[in-house]
Amino acid sequence: MKAFAALLDRLVYTPGRDAKLRLLADYFARNPDPDRGYALAALTGTLDLAQAKPALVRDLVEARVDAELFRWSYDFVGDLAETVSLIWPKRPEGEVPTLSEVVESLQRAGRRDVPGLIEGWLDRLDVDQRWALIKLVTGGLRVGVSARLARTALATWSGKPLAEIEEIWHGVTPPFTGLFAWLAGRGERPAADATALFRPLMLAHPIEDAELNELDARAYRAEWKWDGIRVQLVAGGAARRLYSRSGDDVSATFPEIVEAMDFDAVLDGELLVGRVTDQGWQPAPFNDLQQRLNRKTGVRGLMESHPAFVRLYDILLDGGEDLRAQPFDERRRRLVAWHGAHARERFDISPLIEFADWGRLRELRAEAREASIEGLMLKRGDSPYLAGRVRGPWFKWKRAPLTVDAVLMYAQRGHGKRSSFYSDFTFGVWRRDLGGAAELVPVGKAYFGFTDAELAALDRWVRSHTVERYGPVRAVEHALVLEIACDSVHASPRHKSGVAMRFPRVHRIRWDKPAAEADDLETVTRMVVAAS
Amino acid sequence: MSDPARGGHWIRPTPTGLYVEPGDFYIDPGRPVGRAVISHGHSDHARSGHDHVLATRETLAIMAGRHGQDCAGAMQAVAYGESLVIGGVTLRLAPAGHILGSAQIVLEHAGQRIVVSGDYKRRPDPTCPPFEAVPCDVFITEATFGLPVFRHPPDRDEIAKLLATAALFPERAMLVGVYALGKCQRVIALLRQAGYDKPIFLHGQLGAMCDVYRRCGVELGELRPVIGMIKEGLAGAIVLAPPGAAAERWARRLPEPLVAQASGWMRVKQRAKQSGVELPLVISDHADWDELLQTIDEIEAPEIWVTHGREEALVHAAKARGRKARALALVGYDEEGS
Ligand SMILES: [Zn+2]
């Protein structure tokens, strides 16, 4: 528990991705099996533990601590796991149990033995270790590490390619002893679970308008880049899996898709929600999909109001036949043939767009207004399906961004290289009431898009226009206009303004523009594209 | 303010500070007075402008270092253990273990002994002598960390965390936020105890107090100002600065600083995160909850008065231990040096 607790404690405070990777890689390098395997499982959400309710932990502490003192403390700290870990009356004593000892005991224990086990460990652990234990047994391990990041750390530490780790990820189980043996160079590469294997996706490079003319239009095929989540469908034998782009299994979130996967193939596509019309599926904006993504399982009501479908891009395997080495044009032909033979109401094919030259494609891109379109994909007709982001065969050409002139309201300090810079900017637009009085409502937050020189200038401005400070945040005079670019604007009842922006970034700093002339909320609201 | 002292009616809280009537002096007064007895050098306890100040030699040196030699009309140094009579009161200073020169004030009058703890802690500190438990009738204790969630871990674990992090990020500077008086020198001394013998780099505001400590005989090893260093020269270095300096432009001379802070408040994750700290170090110069209770048990005073901090929980706990206890509302003490 010692090293694991120290790792969690450091992760909680470490905002930077690179620093997190370093902490994780260091942990994997220094700790023995099966501890590091259980830690990996806990971080990637694959640890199978009978979970304790927070109420159990509360009962334990209330039996040991003066009620009044506990109440004052809980009020002050605000988080149950942390209050308990801090207030637990005993100074640590005896051997600190290992993570494996804790996990394996809990896996063996009957329900009634769990409270006694936890209490015994709380007596042996120090504050950080108690916190880690409580988070582990109550299943609330939120330390800002995704499964993808944990796998990336395995690659960093071992030097093995991430794509290879992702391929076998779904064939290995905690405590991952075989995986670690291979990563440490002491064993064979574990066999992937061939029936439900994730194949790393082929990704596209971004391309700008101006770069297009260097490419031969005739060599490329174009299709819309749909604004959903990229998925891989793997089905064969008894196995059916729906994987996200990073290889996480999202089957449980979209049971209706899994149900329709009664075939033997591996497909690449975009998962969308929408509704069926005479012309087939009409995708809804990304925000509608977001509601489904927020749930770990399919919720009946949401499945009916936000039904999901997959718009297919590519076919990787058809039956036992691996098509990845075939050129795109051939795979496309096979995809169409496959779809003809296996028509399913949950799947359609992303259509190819006819165009003679880049000029025509530019026009089509400019005309596309549907919220569900993010831009265009360009794929070389002769490109094989390659793992990862290879420059050349595939490009994504995003739609021209929307821009909003907003007023800077708050600035927050960054981290690491930016820790002495105010680099996270909250901006707002004007809302006018009937009498014409205007107030600023925050509509978003941006922390990139500017150059280093612009950041320095913004930082100077923030420091000399601060009106109030709250910890690392400064409220500033409402006097600077930022031109904010974003991919799209969505209705969002969770925000005070009623709107949310996708990928907002600082496009230009409008030193010249008076704040009163910034956009108003009505303008921004008009940018919201309603579900069609 | 409630009824003045029940246990000892000759000492009472006033808006200016604790007033000792038969000796006509104040303890740590918040504004200029005729006669002041100062427990230690933190600015909320040691203000300038009194006609006459009595304190340890070290505290007087700190005050002079901060406010200048003429910060009081007259300064009278008293060594730990030495007693003297002021009016009808016998006064003696006992080590408090808080920072260099910090003292408890032991007062006797009319057959009754009252001890004013000032700020104190119980764990060993290489920069000052340890707290001395003085039996008394009334013990007036601080309660900065008067909640059972505040239990400081061993100093060496926190220092080990700092050194391990520095080793893991050798291209970055460890920027440790510390108060200029007390915490700064303690962290340096703890690093030296842990065997760290490289130069430690200081923000310009920290040099003066380190000099005072050295003149008082505290070993701090090689200290260097940050100013004048090239950025690359500070990779992997430990740099001490006042809290908040990380947000200042000053910090840009450091290579990708990793922001740490040494304070008892770092114990609570939410509080540490809000302050934007990447490496919280729970190192405090105040007694934690266990030390407060340990002290109340050792002193065996039948009556406990609790001053600045979270009084209610400590009063509650003292009563549960069979003591008479009450909160003394003393205003004007902040959290400096916590
Ligand atoms: Zn103090």
Side-chain angles (χ1 to χ4, degrees):
Chain A
M1 275 314 272
K2 215 170 178 167
F4 178 62
L7 172 68
L8 292 190
D9 189 57
R10 297 292 304 113
L11 287 172
V12 164
Y13 294 106
T14 302
R17 181 177 178 276
D18 290 349
K20 281 190 165 119
L21 280 177
R22 186 121 32 122
L23 291 166
L24 287 164
D26 182 61
Y27 175 85
F28 294 136
R30 285 171 190 273
N31 285 277
D33 295 318
D35 277 9
R36 58 184 176 182
Y38 286 123
L40 178 63
L43 291 165
T44 54
T46 52
L47 187 61
D48 190 19
L49 270 191
Q51 269 171 17
K53 292 236 160 43
L56 178 146
V57 179
R58 198 177 171 141
D59 290 347
L60 289 176
V61 76
E62 284 181 340
R64 300 272 297 260
V65 175
D66 177 289
E68 197 81 338
L69 291 177
F70 177 74
R71 194 172 56 77
W72 280 322
S73 298
Y74 192 13
D75 280 354
F76 180 84
V77 175
D79 174 79
L80 180 69
E82 195 178 2
T83 311
V84 174
S85 65
L86 290 170
I87 205 174
W88 193 259
K90 213 159 149 131
R91 288 267 170 183
E93 214 171 77
E95 276 287 283
V96 175
T98 63
L99 179 58
S100 330
E101 183 185 335
V102 168
V103 170
E104 287 165 10
S105 308
L106 281 171
Q107 284 172 337
R108 277 194 309 267
R111 198 151 251 304
R112 272 180 307 166
D113 303 327
V114 171
L117 277 174
I118 295 176
E119 185 169 10
W121 288 323
L122 288 173
D123 280 341
R124 286 156 67 191
L125 300 175
D126 75 10
V127 173
D128 291 336
Q129 296 158 3
R130 283 182 215 134
W131 185 79
L133 175 73
I134 296 169
K135 291 288 177 187
L136 188 71
V137 300
T138 55
L141 210 68
R142 274 182 286 273
V143 290
V145 174
S146 65
R148 165 91 174 180
L149 189 74
R151 290 193 293 268
T152 309
L154 291 177
T156 310
W157 157 62
S158 66
K160 296 272 196 283
L162 177 59
E164 286 190 29
I165 297 171
E166 296 202 319
E167 274 211 30
I168 58 164
W169 179 251
H170 290 279
V172 293
T173 50
F176 306 111
T177 329
L179 172 67
F180 277 102
W182 168 60
L183 292 173
R186 284 187 281 98
E188 289 291 292
R189 183 173 168 203
D193 173 6
T195 52
L197 182 62
F198 169 72
R199 275 88 179 169
L201 295 182
M202 178 155 176
L203 304 171
H205 256 275
I207 192 164
E208 296 296 329
D209 215 323
E211 300 169 272
L212 274 184
N213 295 332
E214 293 160 27
L215 304 178
D216 175 9
R218 284 163 308 174
Y220 284 86
R221 315 291 167 252
E223 55 188 310
W224 297 117
K225 180 169 166 37
W226 301 99
D227 192 10
I229 60 165
R230 185 86 180 276
V231 288
Q232 184 174 98
L233 297 80
V234 182
R240 290 180 191 183
R241 292 267 176 80
L242 186 60
Y243 291 116
S244 74
R245 194 179 117 112
S246 52
D248 292 314
D249 188 342
V250 294
S251 309
T253 314
F254 300 98
E256 70 266 50
I257 301 292
V258 176
E259 196 187 308
M261 286 166 57
D262 54 342
F263 50 72
D264 184 1
V266 175
L267 306 167
D268 181 345
E270 194 84 11
L271 190 130
L272 297 152
V273 299
R275 62 195 173 90
V276 185
T277 68
D278 298 345
Q279 286 96 47
W281 282 99
Q282 289 298 316
F286 185 81
N287 241 37
D288 290 30
L289 174 60
Q290 192 75 51
Q291 308 209 22
R292 293 285 305 264
L293 291 173
N294 291 339
R295 311 293 182 118
K296 278 254 183 270
T297 58
V299 176
R300 193 47 57 196
L302 272 178
M303 281 167 62
E304 274 162 24
S305 58
H306 298 74
F309 68 102
V310 177
R311 188 149 280 179
L312 300 171
Y313 290 137
D314 215 323
I315 182 163
L316 283 67
L317 268 81
D318 184 357
E321 191 187 352
D322 193 337
L323 301 174
R324 283 181 288 179
Q326 306 280 332
F328 174 79
D329 287 342
E330 173 59 14
R331 292 199 312 277
R332 177 81 194 183
R333 198 185 61 72
R334 293 288 296 263
L335 177 66
V336 172
W338 180 90
H339 188 251
H342 300 82
R344 298 284 183 286
E345 68 165 307
R346 295 285 173 184
F347 308 113
D348 63 12
I349 294 189
S350 175
L352 288 186
I353 301 163
E354 299 292 329
F355 68 104
D357 51 41
W358 296 129
R360 176 65 189 138
L361 202 56
R362 275 193 190 95
E363 286 168 23
L364 290 168
R365 173 171 166 270
E367 284 161 19
R369 270 288 140 234
E370 290 93 325
S372 52
I373 289 176
E374 252 191 290
L376 282 165
M377 291 293 299
L378 305 175
K379 299 177 177 174
R380 275 192 77 97
D382 59 3
S383 55
Y385 195 97
L386 302 169
R389 205 183 295 279
V390 188
R391 193 170 172 87
W394 287 13
F395 291 104
K396 56 182 173 190
W397 186 24
K398 286 207 172 183
R399 201 150 72 172
L402 300 167
T403 60
V404 172
D405 283 343
V407 181
L408 179 60
M409 298 176 72
Y410 304 97
Q412 182 171 355
R413 267 171 53 205
H415 290 282
K417 283 192 181 77
R418 287 176 164 193
S419 60
S420 63
F421 287 94
Y422 286 87
S423 59
D424 296 12
F425 304 104
T426 301
F427 48 85
V429 292
W430 297 108
R431 174 158 62 194
R432 291 167 213 285
D433 65 17
L434 293 174
E439 62 157 346
L440 277 177
V441 268
V443 286
K445 208 172 171 182
Y447 43 89
F448 64 102
F450 33 76
T451 64
D452 286 353
E454 283 174 323
L455 175 59
L458 282 167
D459 178 83
R460 267 197 305 280
W461 192 91
V462 166
R463 288 169 194 277
S464 55
H465 294 80
T466 300
V467 293
E468 221 169 317
R469 308 173 65 150
Y470 322 88
V473 178
R474 290 182 182 217
V476 295
E477 260 173 63
H478 297 160
L480 181 63
V481 175
L482 302 176
E483 185 180 312
I484 302 292
C486 66
D487 285 2
S488 54
V489 178
H490 299 274
S492 170
R494 282 185 300 134
H495 294 86
K496 189 181 164 198
S497 61
V499 293
M501 291 180 172
R502 223 167 156 224
F503 299 129
R505 61 257 180 198
V506 176
H507 197 56
R508 271 198 297 168
I509 307 167
R510 297 294 307 268
W511 302 107
D512 55 315
K513 191 161 186 168
E517 290 172 23
D519 282 321
D520 51 27
L521 185 57
E522 217 180 307
T523 312
V524 179
T525 310
R526 273 200 299 273
M527 293 176 178
V528 173
V529 194
S532 44
Chain B
M1 214 149 293
S2 60
D3 162 48
R6 281 168 299 172
H9 56 268
W10 45 274
I11 178 165
R12 60 185 162 91
T14 74
T16 305
L18 272 176
Y19 179 61
V20 181
E21 195 137 30
D24 187 25
F25 60 85
Y26 288 88
I27 295 172
D28 296 349
R31 55 179 179 231
V33 297
R35 226 173 206 289
V37 175
I38 306 279
S39 66
H40 68 288
H42 277 143
S43 58
D44 50 339
H45 295 260
R47 293 176 200 267
S48 60
H50 307 304
D51 293 341
H52 184 276
V53 168
L54 186 151
T56 61
R57 186 175 57 84
E58 295 83 356
T59 297
L60 294 178
I62 288 165
M63 289 177 71
R66 268 206 165 162
H67 306 292
Q69 290 296 341
D70 53 356
C71 65
M75 288 185 165
Q76 181 181 1
V78 179
Y80 293 126
E82 185 185 331
S83 41
L84 65 163
V85 178
I86 306 171
V89 183
T90 306
L91 177 145
R92 156 168 100 79
L93 300 182
H98 174 57
I99 62 168
L100 177 71
S102 66
Q104 307 173 73
I105 296 151
V106 181
L107 303 163
E108 285 174 48
H109 175 73
Q112 191 184 37
R113 184 188 291 156
I114 298 180
V115 175
V116 182
S117 76
D119 291 342
Y120 68 99
K121 70 172 174 292
R122 303 302 306 272
R123 61 193 64 206
D125 177 340
T127 68
C128 61
F131 178 93
E132 178 192 326
V134 181
C136 55
D137 301 294
V138 179
F139 181 57
I140 305 182
T141 179
E142 65 135 324
T144 304
F145 291 116
L147 266 184
V149 291
F150 290 109
R151 294 154 80 210
H152 313 322
D155 302 331
R156 63 168 183 283
D157 292 0
E158 300 302 288
I159 293 295
K161 200 154 78 175
L162 173 62
L163 293 174
T165 308
L168 194 55
F169 297 95
E171 77 287 10
R172 301 176 69 176
M174 301 293 113
L175 174 54
V176 187
V178 290
Y179 288 99
L181 168 58
K183 192 64 59 65
C184 169
Q185 298 77 21
R186 171 135 169 260
V187 167
I188 294 170
L190 289 171
L191 279 164
R192 299 308 184 203
Q193 257 183 1
Y196 186 81
D197 54 9
K198 295 185 200 161
I200 293 172
F201 294 87
L202 299 182
H203 181 281
Q205 286 173 23
L206 302 183
M209 280 301 131
C210 289
D211 290 344
V212 172
Y213 267 61
R214 284 173 148 163
R215 281 200 297 273
C216 293
V218 179
E219 280 294 324
L220 298 174
E222 188 185 348
L223 306 178
R224 284 192 204 164
V226 166
I227 201 131
M229 289 294 296
I230 55 162
K231 202 174 212 179
E232 293 70 33
L234 293 166
I238 293 178
V239 178
L240 304 190
E248 300 304 326
R249 273 172 250 186
W250 171 86
R252 288 180 202 164
R253 61 190 82 224
L254 308 178
E256 208 182 330
L258 194 152
V259 180
Q261 184 151 327
S263 160
W265 299 111
M266 293 294 109
R267 185 78 276 191
V268 177
K269 286 188 162 46
Q270 207 48 38
R271 199 155 170 160
K273 283 188 84 166
Q274 267 163 12
S275 57
V277 166
E278 211 174 317
L279 181 69
L281 301 172
V282 189
I283 299 177
S284 173
D285 285 327
H286 290 267
D288 69 1
W289 178 256
D290 292 346
E291 293 170 40
L292 291 170
L293 293 185
Q294 172 202 348
T295 306
I296 286 174
D297 288 344
E298 280 177 23
I299 302 270
E300 290 184 333
E303 199 165 331
I304 309 290
W305 298 354
V306 184
T307 67
H308 55 294
R310 256 145 275 273
E311 294 99 350
E312 56 182 2
L314 192 58
V315 167
H316 176 88
K319 283 180 175 163
R321 286 169 138 73
R323 310 302 171 82
K324 270 166 84 177
R326 66 181 185 113
L328 271 196
L330 282 179
V331 289
Y333 296 107
D334 61 29
E335 293 167 352
E336 190 196 10
S338 306

